[in-house]
Amino acid sequence: MKVLVIGSGGREHALVWKISQSPRVTKIYCAPGSAAIAELAECVAINAEQIDSLADFAAKEKIDLTVVGPELPLTLGIADLFESRGLRIFGPNKAAAQLEGSKAFAKDILAANHIPTASFRTFTESGPAKQFIQQQINPYVIKADGLAGGKGVLITRTVAEAQDAVEDILVRKVFGNAGEKVVIEEFLEGEEASFMVLTDGEHVLPLASSQDHKRVFDNDEGPNTGGMGAYSPAPVVTPAIHEQILREVLVPLLAGLKKKHIRYRGVIYVGLMIGKDGPKVLEFNARFGDPECQPIMMRLKSDLIPLLEATIDGTLDQVQPVWHDDPALCVVLTANGYPGAYDKGKEIHGLDQLKNWTNGFVFHAGTTKERDRWLTTGGRVLGVTARGKTIADAVKEVYRSVGVISWDGMHYRKDIAQRAVKRVSSAGPLSESRVSS
């Protein structure tokens, strides 16, 4: 079969890498792809938001399955367009993708279906929003309503900072059209986890649990980013928490979408805060998380293609993924200045030494190649990913390989998965084997 993957980042590199291992796949295209992805797939010069051109290409090339990586084409309605032309596509339709495309829509769904989440209010004007902040207890969580590349959530400590964040979003439009509305939320205490499932609208198939690290600096300091690293499984998601998420979040969520005549087919990414009162929803994404996708694809032992097809066909109850028991870890290497304005065009050294890395793989998020030189082009540049017998072994393996790579201004967090290492070591050697994957 012929497969088209849409996107160009580290998540899409991981998806192409995994799909290339399927014995059923004879040809992979990626639009627009990247120089690194080109080593596994034929890249097509069509951007992810050019959904009409992508549909024309899929029809012309008789693509059997299209897999959407990023959120933007989903919110533009690429699934609706492909389905109207009889093309098989993995990803939710435009109405369902509002779960990620609008935080206000997501919060309203949560509230209407009594799904645990932070209390909130939504505003379109800065005056009432600023008045509301004065009545709240700090810290203050200020969110741009729309898509902001993972950077539209601002956690502020003072009234002045919170009100300035409102001005940034609603008035100064620092996030562009994503700032048509602002959501002001209660600050939740606890430990974050990422919980991704496949759903065909009727059945829910959990993927391996994972944990992302959003802040740019160690100890969860500094501004939010698209993600500085992730690992799987997440020991904080115990079997009891796993069942609670399915029962209290996913089941009522799908029921609530049905009430709105929305059938969701694709990935639902649930960002959670797990505290003393159990899991509460922070956000939804309508696609695979990035960088969570990288360690999850590294841990997936079975073929990805049957899982994607069952999601489309409504037969998820008939398939079951097989996972490697070994934990996996991804550390993201970023350009100097990220998540703000960042350097580009820096030569990357050391990648040749990892070409035959048996325990892991380097996924490219923002690179290009000029002759035999790899150069940085994005804020998040590489995702160094590996498995290990234990989470501590995976940490050692990844950071050893990170030490091989360098460029001028390279930055990365040095504490990815430390919470998991401490949790597993304190619980004893059997703890991780008991954690639901």
Side-chain angles (χ1 to χ4, degrees):
M1 66 187 299
K2 294 199 285 188
V3 177
L4 169 64
V5 176
I6 296 173
S8 60
R11 166 185 48 225
E12 290 75 35
H13 195 185
L15 289 171
V16 168
W17 174 80
K18 185 60 187 174
I19 290 167
S20 71
Q21 298 165 24
S22 173
R24 295 177 52 197
V25 175
T26 55
K27 177 74 175 181
I28 307 174
Y29 296 94
C30 190
S34 67
I37 291 174
E39 296 178 350
L40 298 169
E42 181 178 330
C43 293
V44 183
I46 306 174
N47 290 330
E49 68 271 18
Q50 295 175 291
I51 62 175
D52 291 299
S53 297
L54 289 165
D56 290 341
F57 176 83
K60 179 185 174 186
E61 295 297 329
K62 296 182 171 58
I63 299 297
D64 298 294
L65 174 64
T66 296
V67 181
V68 185
E71 60 273 19
L72 181 56
L74 294 170
T75 61
L76 292 174
I78 189 169
D80 309 72
L81 176 62
F82 271 55
E83 288 169 6
S84 72
R85 297 183 60 172
L87 298 166
R88 284 168 65 77
I89 186 166
F90 175 84
N93 61 29
K94 186 175 183 178
Q98 289 180 92
L99 268 186
E100 177 168 8
S102 170
K103 293 180 180 68
F105 175 86
K107 293 295 284 191
D108 288 342
I109 285 278
L110 289 165
N113 294 280
H114 310 289
I115 298 170
T117 189
S119 60
F120 73 100
R121 284 278 299 276
T122 302
F123 298 90
T124 57
E125 296 180 1
S126 62
K130 289 180 179 180
Q131 290 176 2
F132 179 73
I133 286 168
Q134 291 178 328
Q135 303 161 14
Q136 306 309 303
I137 300 170
N138 72 340
Y140 311 95
V141 182
I142 318 296
K143 295 183 176 182
D145 177 58
L147 301 176
K151 303 168 193 172
V153 178
L154 305 171
I155 299 173
T156 56
R157 300 288 171 181
T158 68
V159 168
E161 288 175 351
Q163 292 182 336
D164 195 51
V166 167
E167 285 284 311
D168 278 344
I169 294 169
L170 287 177
V171 180
R172 301 183 193 107
K173 298 292 184 185
V174 296
F175 300 114
N177 292 335
E180 295 298 319
K181 297 178 185 176
V182 66
V183 177
I184 301 176
E185 277 189 8
E186 167 197 12
F187 180 81
L188 297 178
E189 298 276 3
E191 186 172 342
E192 288 191 45
S194 305
F195 195 86
M196 280 186 276
V197 302
L198 301 179
T199 180
D200 55 18
E202 297 291 335
H203 313 100
V204 174
L205 181 65
L207 299 177
S209 63
S210 57
Q211 188 173 74
D212 188 15
H213 298 66
K214 288 288 188 188
R215 300 299 190 94
V216 70
F217 299 124
D218 288 1
N219 303 314
D220 291 326
E221 296 180 354
N224 271 349
T225 71
M228 294 297 296
Y231 61 91
S232 173
V236 69
V237 183
T238 63
I241 292 290
H242 182 280
E243 291 305 315
Q244 192 175 357
I245 294 166
L246 292 176
R247 183 178 66 252
E248 297 183 6
V249 178
L250 274 311
V251 170
L253 173 65
L254 290 180
L257 289 170
K258 276 186 183 179
K259 290 176 195 169
K260 290 181 171 289
H261 307 291
I262 296 172
R263 182 176 181 184
Y264 194 112
R265 288 183 292 183
V267 178
I268 298 179
Y269 168 118
V270 190
L272 297 155
M273 183 67 76
I274 300 175
K276 289 181 287 186
D277 299 330
K280 292 187 177 182
V281 176
L282 294 173
E283 65 174 350
F284 291 114
N285 290 333
R287 35 73 189 180
F288 289 103
D290 186 353
E292 295 97 328
C293 183
Q294 288 85 310
I296 285 176
M297 290 301 110
M298 184 73 67
R299 287 193 65 215
L300 182 59
K301 191 174 185 178
S302 53
D303 194 340
L304 177 62
I305 293 296
L307 303 180
L308 304 182
E309 289 190 315
T311 303
I312 296 169
D313 296 336
T315 56
L316 267 179
D317 58 329
Q318 299 174 29
V319 295
Q320 195 65 237
V322 178
W323 301 98
H324 288 285
D325 290 333
D326 297 348
L329 176 82
C330 173
V331 172
V332 174
L333 312 185
T334 70
N336 182 46
Y338 178 80
Y342 51 82
D343 294 341
K344 296 180 183 179
K346 301 297 183 180
E347 183 174 0
I348 304 169
H349 305 283
L351 288 176
D352 286 347
Q353 298 179 51
L354 297 172
K355 267 189 174 179
N356 299 312
W357 187 17
T358 55
N359 295 327
F361 196 84
V362 181
F363 297 109
H364 289 234
T367 67
T368 189
K369 197 170 189 180
E370 290 185 2
R371 296 181 183 174
D372 59 347
R373 298 191 312 148
W374 287 101
L375 304 176
T376 67
T377 59
R380 292 192 294 173
V381 179
L382 299 170
V384 184
T385 309
R387 293 201 312 268
K389 290 294 182 185
T390 66
I391 190 67
D393 289 339
V395 168
K396 290 176 186 175
E397 181 69 24
V398 168
Y399 279 105
R400 179 192 66 78
S401 298
V402 167
V404 172
I405 302 168
S406 65
W407 69 81
D408 183 25
M410 183 178 91
H411 168 72
Y412 59 94
R413 280 183 57 161
K414 300 173 181 63
D415 64 344
I416 302 299
Q418 286 309 304
R419 282 191 294 265
V421 172
K422 291 174 185 175
R423 187 180 289 271
V424 170
S425 62
S426 65
L430 295 178
S431 173
E432 200 153 61
S433 67
R434 291 196 299 264
V435 172
S436 172
S437 62

